[in-house]
Amino acid sequence: MWPTAYLRTSFWLFLAVCFGCHPSETSHSLPYYNTPDFTPVFIGTADRVAEKIPHTIGDFSFRDQNGATISQSDIEGKIHVADFFFSSCGVICPTMTKHLKLVEKAFPNDKKLVLLSYSVTPWIDSVARLKKYSQANDIQSENWHLLTGRKSEIYQLARQSYFAEEELGYNKDSTEFLHTEHFLLVDKQKRIRGIYNGTLELEIQQLIADIKTLQQER
């Protein structure tokens, strides 16, 4: 069975071609996602992006596994991939981390690509614990940040900015546990450009291909 996110994107690409808006004929070949239902929006010209796509990733400030403060300034003008995990997760998260390492390997030492792994149990995942997790998983990239901070701020950012749980999570508050297998691809202007199932290697290969596409955008 084809992954849901893959089918959704393929379906909208099919519609774009049928209605004469093939992405190869536009300045942006990947769709934009402006709402938590992840309806793709194709933009014909770059100067209409701000008008059509007002949603961007909000401001944030968290600490990473090295104790450094990471904020929105660290992703300005850069592509980034976000996911949500916790260090004590025994099944899904190890697979997601292994798959995100494929992205790390595909873009070694690329300072224009940032990987942000937000802990959804920040009250447990201290800086020291995240450091141990990064060492145990051989995370070496200086641009891969495992983030911890205030639970309410992480959960709000995940649900309101990244649409991490799609529509099901958009209106939930910080008392309801957050966990999702999604990876989110965000462009240099902090707009969402892709959603992928982080447990499926097929979708990780698509994510890598889409990052390369975004790298070609001005």
Side-chain angles (χ1 to χ4, degrees), residues 8 21 26 53 61 71-72 74 104 107 120 122 128 145 151 153-155 176 191 203 212:
R8 177 171 51 234
C21 184
T26 69
I53 312 295
S61 181
S71 71
Q72 68 278 357
D74 294 286
E104 177 190 40
F107 303 94
V120 297
H145 305 283
K151 174 187 174 183
E153 293 177 3
I154 290 175
Y155 277 39
E176 298 181 77
R191 291 182 168 89
E203 295 216 355
K212 292 177 180 179

Short mmCIF file of all heavy atoms in Angstrom, two decimals, residues 8 21 26 53 61 71-72 74 104 107 120 122 128 145 151 153-155 176 191 203 212:
data_model
loop_
_atom_site.label_atom_id
_atom_site.label_comp_id
_atom_site.label_asym_id
_atom_site.label_seq_id
_atom_site.Cartn_x
_atom_site.Cartn_y
_atom_site.Cartn_z
N ARG A 8 -1.19 11.54 -1.33
CA ARG A 8 -1.78 12.87 -1.33
C ARG A 8 -1.02 13.80 -2.27
O ARG A 8 -1.61 14.49 -3.10
CB ARG A 8 -1.76 13.43 0.10
CG ARG A 8 -2.30 14.84 0.19
CD ARG A 8 -2.47 15.27 1.64
NE ARG A 8 -1.26 15.03 2.40
CZ ARG A 8 -1.20 14.34 3.53
NH1 ARG A 8 -2.28 13.80 4.02
NH2 ARG A 8 -0.06 14.18 4.16
N CYS A 21 -1.15 23.34 -14.89
CA CYS A 21 -0.25 24.03 -13.96
C CYS A 21 0.83 23.07 -13.51
O CYS A 21 1.04 22.83 -12.33
CB CYS A 21 -1.05 24.55 -12.75
SG CYS A 21 -0.06 25.51 -11.59
N THR A 26 6.38 26.27 -13.49
CA THR A 26 6.31 27.36 -12.55
C THR A 26 7.68 27.58 -11.94
O THR A 26 8.59 26.79 -12.10
CB THR A 26 5.32 27.03 -11.41
OG1 THR A 26 5.88 25.99 -10.61
CG2 THR A 26 3.97 26.60 -11.96
N ILE A 53 0.48 32.53 0.45
CA ILE A 53 0.92 31.63 1.52
C ILE A 53 1.37 32.45 2.73
O ILE A 53 2.57 32.69 2.94
CB ILE A 53 2.07 30.71 1.05
CG1 ILE A 53 1.76 30.07 -0.29
CG2 ILE A 53 2.36 29.64 2.11
CD1 ILE A 53 0.58 29.10 -0.26
N SER A 61 12.64 29.42 20.65
CA SER A 61 13.97 29.45 21.27
C SER A 61 14.07 28.26 22.23
O SER A 61 13.38 28.22 23.26
CB SER A 61 14.19 30.76 22.04
OG SER A 61 15.48 30.78 22.62
N SER A 71 17.29 29.17 17.78
CA SER A 71 16.08 29.96 17.57
C SER A 71 15.80 30.09 16.08
O SER A 71 16.53 29.54 15.24
CB SER A 71 16.21 31.34 18.20
OG SER A 71 17.14 32.13 17.47
N GLN A 72 14.75 30.86 15.77
CA GLN A 72 14.38 31.06 14.36
C GLN A 72 15.51 31.70 13.56
O GLN A 72 15.60 31.51 12.35
CB GLN A 72 13.11 31.89 14.24
CG GLN A 72 13.22 33.35 14.65
CD GLN A 72 13.11 33.54 16.16
OE1 GLN A 72 12.89 32.59 16.89
NE2 GLN A 72 13.24 34.78 16.60
N ASP A 74 18.46 30.80 13.49
CA ASP A 74 19.34 29.74 13.00
C ASP A 74 18.81 29.04 11.76
O ASP A 74 19.52 28.25 11.13
CB ASP A 74 19.57 28.70 14.10
CG ASP A 74 20.35 29.25 15.27
OD1 ASP A 74 21.57 29.45 15.13
OD2 ASP A 74 19.73 29.52 16.32
N GLU A 104 20.96 13.21 6.83
CA GLU A 104 22.26 13.73 7.28
C GLU A 104 23.38 13.26 6.34
O GLU A 104 24.24 14.06 5.93
CB GLU A 104 22.53 13.27 8.70
CG GLU A 104 23.88 13.69 9.27
CD GLU A 104 24.19 13.02 10.58
OE1 GLU A 104 23.89 11.80 10.72
OE2 GLU A 104 24.75 13.68 11.46
N PHE A 107 23.50 14.92 2.77
CA PHE A 107 23.94 16.32 2.69
C PHE A 107 25.01 16.59 3.74
O PHE A 107 24.81 17.39 4.66
CB PHE A 107 22.73 17.25 2.89
CG PHE A 107 21.61 17.03 1.93
CD1 PHE A 107 20.56 16.19 2.25
CD2 PHE A 107 21.61 17.64 0.68
CE1 PHE A 107 19.51 15.97 1.36
CE2 PHE A 107 20.59 17.42 -0.23
CZ PHE A 107 19.54 16.58 0.11
N VAL A 120 9.23 15.72 22.56
CA VAL A 120 7.86 15.90 23.03
C VAL A 120 7.72 15.50 24.50
O VAL A 120 6.64 15.56 25.07
CB VAL A 120 6.85 15.12 22.16
CG1 VAL A 120 6.87 15.64 20.73
CG2 VAL A 120 7.12 13.62 22.19
N PRO A 122 9.98 17.06 26.96
CA PRO A 122 11.12 17.90 27.37
C PRO A 122 11.35 17.91 28.87
O PRO A 122 12.46 18.25 29.31
CB PRO A 122 10.71 19.28 26.85
CG PRO A 122 9.22 19.25 26.79
CD PRO A 122 8.89 17.85 26.38
N ALA A 128 21.52 17.06 28.88
CA ALA A 128 22.44 15.93 29.08
C ALA A 128 21.88 14.64 28.50
O ALA A 128 22.62 13.85 27.89
CB ALA A 128 22.73 15.76 30.58
N HIS A 145 20.04 19.47 15.39
CA HIS A 145 19.82 19.91 16.76
C HIS A 145 18.67 19.13 17.39
O HIS A 145 17.55 19.14 16.87
CB HIS A 145 19.51 21.40 16.79
CG HIS A 145 20.56 22.24 16.13
ND1 HIS A 145 21.77 22.54 16.73
CD2 HIS A 145 20.58 22.84 14.91
CE1 HIS A 145 22.49 23.29 15.91
NE2 HIS A 145 21.79 23.47 14.80
N LYS A 151 7.43 22.64 27.60
CA LYS A 151 6.49 21.75 26.93
C LYS A 151 5.44 22.53 26.15
O LYS A 151 5.16 22.25 24.98
CB LYS A 151 5.81 20.83 27.95
CG LYS A 151 4.70 19.97 27.36
CD LYS A 151 3.96 19.21 28.45
CE LYS A 151 2.76 18.46 27.87
NZ LYS A 151 1.98 17.78 28.92
N GLU A 153 5.46 25.44 24.87
CA GLU A 153 5.99 26.15 23.69
C GLU A 153 6.29 25.17 22.56
O GLU A 153 6.02 25.47 21.39
CB GLU A 153 7.25 26.93 24.08
CG GLU A 153 6.96 28.08 25.03
CD GLU A 153 8.22 28.80 25.47
OE1 GLU A 153 9.32 28.44 24.99
OE2 GLU A 153 8.11 29.71 26.31
N ILE A 154 6.85 24.01 22.90
CA ILE A 154 7.13 23.00 21.87
C ILE A 154 5.83 22.49 21.26
O ILE A 154 5.70 22.37 20.04
CB ILE A 154 7.95 21.83 22.45
CG1 ILE A 154 9.38 22.30 22.78
CG2 ILE A 154 8.00 20.66 21.47
CD1 ILE A 154 10.23 21.25 23.47
N TYR A 155 4.84 22.22 22.10
CA TYR A 155 3.58 21.67 21.61
C TYR A 155 2.83 22.69 20.75
O TYR A 155 2.24 22.33 19.73
CB TYR A 155 2.71 21.23 22.79
CG TYR A 155 3.04 19.85 23.32
CD1 TYR A 155 4.36 19.41 23.42
CD2 TYR A 155 2.04 18.99 23.75
CE1 TYR A 155 4.67 18.15 23.92
CE2 TYR A 155 2.34 17.72 24.24
CZ TYR A 155 3.65 17.31 24.32
OH TYR A 155 3.95 16.06 24.80
N GLU A 176 -2.51 17.52 26.16
CA GLU A 176 -2.69 16.28 25.39
C GLU A 176 -1.37 15.90 24.73
O GLU A 176 -0.78 16.69 24.01
CB GLU A 176 -3.79 16.47 24.35
CG GLU A 176 -5.15 16.78 24.94
CD GLU A 176 -6.22 16.95 23.88
OE1 GLU A 176 -6.69 15.91 23.35
OE2 GLU A 176 -6.58 18.09 23.58
N ARG A 191 8.36 28.39 5.04
CA ARG A 191 7.06 27.91 4.61
C ARG A 191 7.12 26.39 4.40
O ARG A 191 8.09 25.87 3.85
CB ARG A 191 6.62 28.62 3.32
CG ARG A 191 6.30 30.09 3.55
CD ARG A 191 5.81 30.78 2.28
NE ARG A 191 5.26 32.09 2.58
CZ ARG A 191 5.96 33.22 2.63
NH1 ARG A 191 7.26 33.19 2.36
NH2 ARG A 191 5.38 34.37 2.92
N GLU A 203 9.61 7.20 1.68
CA GLU A 203 9.29 8.62 1.80
C GLU A 203 10.52 9.45 2.16
O GLU A 203 10.60 10.63 1.82
CB GLU A 203 8.18 8.82 2.83
CG GLU A 203 6.87 8.20 2.38
CD GLU A 203 5.64 8.99 2.79
OE1 GLU A 203 5.78 10.00 3.50
OE2 GLU A 203 4.54 8.60 2.36
N LYS A 212 16.67 18.56 -2.57
CA LYS A 212 17.48 18.96 -3.72
C LYS A 212 16.71 19.90 -4.64
O LYS A 212 17.30 20.83 -5.21
CB LYS A 212 17.94 17.71 -4.48
CG LYS A 212 18.93 16.85 -3.70
CD LYS A 212 19.30 15.57 -4.45
CE LYS A 212 20.29 14.73 -3.66
NZ LYS A 212 20.64 13.46 -4.34
#
